[in-house]
């Protein structure tokens, strides 16, 4: 099928309603719908949808102009509240991945396990990040993002009790792996939720928050875990901290984040209208027309799509490799930093955690550059007649591609004494900066390029980076032991150097590569955005809104 023939209702509804951000409304946190005033209920019943209202030809339910239930029409305040909650959810699961490492040495001694077995608690947790999205993304399509966030977040919280109360390495490692699986939902579904609410022109800052959170969590985790392990509370209290933070995040999700996925909201409206008619009149969401409603079909299709993208989409494959190397290098540092700072320089566990502050500072600087990237993107759109240009998201990733290997070589060749400890710590700043802007820019590029398929594209990168991040911490001790600090870190630097041309290549040839894909948006299908969303009256005078983006199933 061609790119313009079939409308797909996967959990990646992004630019399909890019022009539909009209009016302001506040949704009910529990359902994602607007409060039902008599006027709105009456308009629902009286509205004439296309179709005959029969099972063979149901009324096809679509968004109305200025529809207050459409997430694009929610108030900025509401959308920002949801965005911050989703960013905090992503931060929480990444924070819990590394908070464990701060007390790892104490745990190893108490449970009489080797360093490699202790590191498995990090690796298995991160591996879970790659397994969970394969199930949670299609479940989000079928039942909505909100219920997936709530259920997985609650189970994720409970699995931290395994570390807090467990007395064997097996208990801790199994619960860590399960916590990683159930904590993974925000890593992909949160990105889809942002594209449910923000148009490409608007979502620069929102995407930057989402893209930076997976890097800030691992930076703060070792600091908290390291200092806690040195107190009388011991390493187990780190798990109680994870439990408390995760529980607060689950409560915030319940109170703040409604359903945002447009196809699910329209499906609920169609069912509500059918029920209101006593079943005599049949309504169906426009996304469900001609599509299988079977959860088994959706699971088979969407679980395989990330791997299909990796095999057939050069953009997804190369960006997934690039993100995986940068992300896995950060997790390799969880094994490398204790060697460099605690063993070689005799830092305590708490002081060793503070060494990650250099990376954290770089992440903050990278996040602060998001407005600059936004302005560059807007200027490129203005030069292109208001059309979105995915390649305009790559300005900062190109800069990051140059800085990343430099920072790693800097750290590699200054990590050994007698070089002062502040020098390798400062090397973490350009590393954190480059990782932040690479992650932000490439995530936004995938969102713009794959539109309604962005969650599958992001899931491809999450699976790849999780598998690589599972391996890197396990091989780091042996690598540093056999090659020495300088050459061991140089291995990661050479890998980063090999990836440096990737954003430059797609900036130059990305449009051509997109034109060869049946999933990526082609230049002629890119949505047109104005500097500010049009008013409802203006659109009505012009006779309507831009058509929804369509893609293959």
């Amino acid at each position: 099928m061609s790119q313009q023939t079939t409308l797909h209702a996967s959990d990646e509804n992004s630019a399909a309603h890019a022009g539909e951000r009209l009016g302001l409304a506040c949704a009910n946190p529990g359902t994602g719908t607007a409060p039902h005033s008599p006027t709105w209920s009456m308009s629902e019943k009286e509205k004439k949808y296309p179709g005959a209202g029969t099972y063979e030809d149901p009324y096809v339910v679509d968004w109305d102009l200025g529809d207050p239930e459409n997430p694009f029409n929610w108030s900025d305040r509401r959308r920002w509240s949801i965005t911050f909650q989703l960013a905090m959810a992503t931060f929480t699961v990444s924070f819990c991945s590394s908070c464990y490492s701060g007390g790892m040495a104490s745990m190893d001694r108490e449970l009489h396990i080797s360093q490699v077995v202790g590191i498995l608690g990090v690796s298995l947790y991160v591996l879970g990040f790659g397994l969970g999205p394969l199930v949670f993304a299609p479940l989000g399509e079928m039942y909505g993002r909100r219920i997936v966030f709530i259920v997985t977040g609650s189970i994720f919280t409970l699995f931290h009790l395994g570390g807090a109360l467990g007395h064997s390495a097996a208990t801790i490692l199994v619960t860590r792996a399960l916590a990683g699986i159930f904590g993974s939902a925000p890593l992909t579904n949160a990105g889809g939720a942002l594209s449910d609410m923000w148009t490409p022109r608007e979502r620069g800052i929102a995407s930057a928050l989402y893209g930076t959170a997976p890097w800030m969590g691992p930076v703060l985790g070792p600091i908290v875990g390291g200092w806690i392990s040195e107190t009388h509370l011991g390493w187990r209290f780190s798990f109680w901290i994870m439990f408390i933070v995760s529980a607060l995040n689950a409560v915030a999700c319940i109170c703040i984040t409604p359903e945002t996925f447009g196809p699910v909201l329209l499906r609920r409206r169609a069912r509500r209208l059918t029920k209101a008619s006593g079943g005599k009149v049949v309504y169906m969401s426009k996304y469900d027309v001609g599509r299988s409603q079977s959860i088994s079909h959706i699971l088979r299709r969407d679980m395989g799509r990330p791997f299909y993208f990796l095999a057939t989409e050069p953009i997804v494959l190369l960006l997934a490799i690039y993100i995986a190397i940068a992300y896995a290098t950060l997790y390799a540092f969880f094994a490398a930093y204790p060697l460099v700072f605690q063993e070689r320089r005799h830092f305590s566990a708490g002081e060793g955690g503070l060494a990650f502050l250099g990376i954290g500072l770089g992440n903050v600087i990278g996040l602060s550059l998001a407005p600059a990237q936004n302005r560059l993107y807007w200027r490129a759109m203005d030069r292109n007649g208001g059309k979105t240009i995915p390649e305009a998201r790559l300005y900062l990733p190109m800069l990051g591609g140059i800085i990343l290997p430099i920072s790693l070589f800097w750290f590699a060749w200054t990590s050994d004494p007698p070089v002062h400890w502040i020098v390798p710590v400062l090397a973490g700043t350009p590393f954190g900066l480059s990782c932040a802007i690479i992650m932000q820019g490439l995530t936004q590029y995938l969102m713009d390029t794959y539109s309604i398929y962005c969650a599958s594209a992001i899931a491809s990168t999450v699976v790849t980076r999780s598998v690589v991040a599972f391996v890197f911490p396990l091989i780091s001790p042996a690598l540093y032991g056999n090659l020495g600090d300088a050459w061991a870190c140089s291995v990661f630097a050479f890998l980063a150097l090999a990836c440096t041309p990737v954003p430059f290549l797609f900036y130059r040839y990305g449009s051509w590569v997109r034109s060869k894909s049946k999933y990526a948006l082609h230049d002629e299908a890119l949505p047109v955005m104005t500097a500010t969303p049009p008013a409802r009256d203006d659109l009505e005078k012009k006779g309507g809104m831009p058509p929804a983006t369509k893609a293959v199933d």
Side-chain angles (χ1 to χ4, degrees):
M1 290 178 152
S2 69
Q3 189 177 9
Q4 287 78 29
T5 56
T6 305
L7 191 58
H8 173 59
S10 73
D11 71 327
E12 299 136 86
N13 181 31
S14 170
H17 304 292
E20 298 181 15
R21 188 191 177 285
L22 308 169
L24 301 175
C26 181
N28 181 292
T31 63
T33 61
H36 286 277
S37 64
T39 302
W40 180 251
S41 298
M42 184 177 297
S43 65
E44 270 192 344
K45 294 177 182 178
E46 294 180 349
K47 178 175 174 58
K48 178 67 174 177
Y49 294 104
T54 64
Y55 285 101
E56 294 77 17
D57 186 17
Y59 286 129
V60 179
V61 178
D62 196 358
W63 296 120
D64 192 13
L65 284 175
D67 199 323
E69 294 190 6
N70 186 343
F72 284 100
N73 297 334
W74 294 347
S75 68
D76 286 346
R77 179 178 178 180
R78 180 166 184 75
R79 291 186 299 159
W80 275 116
S81 297
I82 299 168
T83 297
F84 279 116
Q85 194 283 314
L86 294 173
M88 285 305 301
T90 308
F91 168 85
T92 298
V93 298
S94 59
F95 169 83
C96 294
S97 71
S98 61
C99 187
Y100 165 95
S101 67
M104 193 164 55
S106 301
M107 183 190 72
D108 293 349
R109 289 192 298 269
E110 182 175 326
L111 299 180
H112 307 291
I113 58 178
S114 67
Q115 183 187 35
V116 173
V117 174
I119 292 173
L120 270 174
V122 175
S123 293
L124 290 173
Y125 184 97
V126 178
L127 182 63
F129 286 173
L131 301 177
L134 299 178
V135 176
F136 301 142
L139 286 179
E141 170 190 342
M142 192 67 182
Y143 299 109
R145 305 195 199 278
R146 173 179 164 81
I147 188 63
V148 171
F149 286 142
I150 292 174
V151 172
T152 60
S154 300
I155 298 174
F156 167 70
T157 300
L158 295 176
F159 275 123
H160 294 307
L161 296 176
L165 304 174
H167 294 283
S168 68
T171 300
I172 293 173
L173 294 180
V174 169
T175 53
R176 284 288 291 175
L178 293 172
I181 291 172
F182 284 95
S184 63
L187 297 178
T188 50
N189 289 17
L194 294 182
S195 67
D196 293 338
M197 303 182 295
W198 301 99
T199 66
R201 188 178 185 100
E202 297 172 312
R203 66 173 171 237
I205 303 296
S207 299
L209 286 172
Y210 164 73
T212 304
W215 301 91
M216 285 301 296
V219 169
L220 295 180
I223 299 174
V224 175
W227 285 109
I228 288 176
S229 68
E230 292 187 1
T231 69
H232 70 281
L233 298 172
W235 59 270
R236 289 186 186 277
F237 195 73
S238 296
F239 285 93
W240 287 111
I241 293 292
M242 297 180 221
F243 175 82
I244 293 169
V245 172
S246 302
L248 291 174
N249 175 71
V251 171
C253 179
I254 293 171
C255 297
I256 296 174
T257 303
E259 181 56 56
T260 62
F261 189 36
V264 169
L265 295 175
L266 286 177
R267 188 179 302 142
R268 292 176 181 174
R269 177 183 290 183
R271 290 172 180 169
R272 187 170 66 244
L273 291 171
T274 300
K275 183 178 180 180
S277 72
K280 298 177 182 178
V281 181
V282 181
Y283 294 82
M284 181 176 288
S285 163
K286 69 172 183 176
Y287 295 100
D288 293 334
V289 175
R291 296 183 63 250
S292 171
Q293 300 289 315
S294 167
I295 184 62
S296 60
H297 170 80
I298 294 174
L299 282 171
R300 287 195 304 271
R301 181 192 66 207
D302 286 7
M303 286 179 68
R305 186 176 290 141
F307 300 102
Y308 181 79
F309 274 17
L310 287 172
T312 62
E313 295 290 317
I315 293 176
V316 173
L317 175 63
L318 292 179
L319 296 192
I321 293 173
Y322 196 2
I323 291 173
I325 289 175
Y327 188 76
T329 300
L330 173 63
Y331 278 86
F333 281 167
F334 295 149
Y337 267 46
L339 295 173
V340 170
F341 292 103
Q342 291 172 232
E343 290 192 15
R344 312 282 193 267
R345 301 175 184 273
H346 310 294
F347 281 25
S348 68
E351 292 168 342
L354 290 176
F356 284 91
L357 284 177
I359 300 177
L361 175 61
N363 281 321
V364 172
I365 296 173
L367 180 60
S368 68
L369 293 178
Q373 168 61 54
N374 261 357
R375 286 192 289 272
L376 293 171
Y377 181 72
W378 293 340
R379 289 175 185 173
M381 284 179 59
D382 293 340
R383 290 195 300 268
N384 199 40
K387 269 195 172 184
T388 59
I389 305 175
E391 286 70 36
R393 300 288 193 187
L394 298 177
Y395 293 120
L396 287 186
M398 288 190 287
L399 174 63
I402 297 172
I403 297 175
L404 180 59
I406 293 174
S407 67
L408 290 174
F409 281 121
W410 175 355
F411 178 80
W413 295 96
T414 61
S415 57
D416 287 320
V419 179
H420 194 274
W421 59 265
I422 193 63
V423 180
V425 169
L426 290 177
T429 300
F431 172 76
L433 166 64
S434 58
C435 288
I437 59 180
I438 288 171
M439 187 70 171
Q440 292 170 24
L442 298 189
T443 299
Q444 293 172 19
Y445 182 59
L446 289 173
M447 286 181 176
D448 287 4
T449 298
Y450 288 96
S451 184
I452 63 172
Y453 294 108
C454 72
S456 284
I458 293 173
S460 301
T461 67
V462 171
V463 170
T464 306
R465 82 190 191 196
S466 298
V467 172
V468 179
F470 166 77
V471 174
F472 273 26
L474 294 176
I475 67 174
S476 290
L479 200 63
Y480 273 75
N482 294 327
L483 298 181
D485 295 354
W487 281 109
C489 187
S490 293
V491 171
F492 302 127
F494 283 120
L495 290 173
L497 184 63
C499 293
T500 297
V502 170
F504 291 91
L505 288 173
F506 285 123
Y507 181 78
R508 178 68 179 84
Y509 300 107
S511 176
W512 179 81
V513 176
R514 285 189 286 109
S515 70
K516 305 300 180 182
S517 169
K518 68 176 182 178
Y519 291 98
L521 286 179
H522 301 175
D523 283 346
E524 62 271 17
L526 293 173
V528 177
M529 298 290 156
T530 56
T532 57
R536 172 175 176 146
D537 291 343
D538 293 340
L539 262 178
E540 288 175 341
K541 290 175 183 177
K542 294 178 181 179
M545 298 173 53
T549 301
K550 299 182 180 181
V552 295
D553 191 350

